[in-house]
Amino acid sequence: MHMKTGVEQSVYAILLLTFLPEKAVLPGDVISSQLGGSPTYFQKLLRKLVSADLLASVPGSKGGFRLKKTPEEIRIYDVYVAIEGKQSLYSSSGIFHDMLNLKDKDICLLSDLMEEAESSWQSILKRQTIATLTNEINKKCPKENLDMLKTTVEEKMVL
């Protein structure tokens, strides 16, 4: 399994938005600049998060993005689905059936195993929220680094 960087970037974009006071927004170009990505690419990611009802978008010169749900309500799995979609990671090519000349499509040992593995990682992502990650950041990151990031967000936010 290889997850695209869009999920990672989206989670961190949402984490940036947790630093905003209520009603404030952060422009998309500020988010992309802070995370070191292309503004055009980030606009696509942010639009997907808006479509998934995780973020709110405010149009105009004083526009930007803010959380639509609380950090406790945003599961990492929700972010994954918003960016990657709900398709299964594994799809049988039928090799097993061809190899054993089977007519019954219900028999596929690898499909069962992959389904169980996918269910396990989804369960983990569904348990973890943006609030969980925020708590981890507060525990593991130096306070002065977090303070600098919060200051940057406060300077660039739009009320």
Side-chain angles (χ1 to χ4, degrees), residues 20-130:
L20 292 173
E22 195 175 332
K23 304 284 185 201
V25 297
L26 199 59
D29 61 331
V30 172
I31 296 169
S32 66
S33 171
Q34 192 63 45
L35 295 173
S38 146
T40 305
Y41 178 67
F42 266 93
Q43 283 297 329
K44 290 177 186 175
L45 292 178
L46 295 168
R47 289 275 155 235
K48 286 182 177 186
L49 297 171
V50 168
S51 293
D53 280 335
L54 301 176
L55 301 184
S57 172
V58 176
S61 61
K62 292 192 173 216
F65 297 89
R66 67 173 169 249
L67 298 180
K68 191 167 186 180
K69 296 180 176 184
T70 66
E72 293 79 14
E73 295 173 308
I74 301 173
R75 301 175 308 167
I76 305 307
Y77 180 73
D78 299 330
V79 178
Y80 173 83
V81 169
I83 302 304
E84 294 285 336
K86 268 195 163 182
Q87 74 278 359
S88 180
L89 297 175
Y90 175 77
S91 178
S92 173
S93 65
I95 293 171
F96 181 72
H97 297 98
D98 294 344
M99 180 176 71
L100 294 172
N101 198 25
L102 297 173
K103 304 290 183 235
D104 185 359
K105 297 289 186 197
D106 290 338
I107 302 172
C108 186
L109 304 177
L110 195 52
S111 287
D112 294 343
L113 178 64
M114 292 300 192
E115 192 174 297
E116 183 181 353
E118 190 168 341
S119 176
S120 292
W121 75 261
Q122 286 178 359
S123 175
I124 292 167
L125 294 182
K126 287 176 181 177
R127 281 196 315 257
Q128 302 300 314
T129 65
I130 294 297

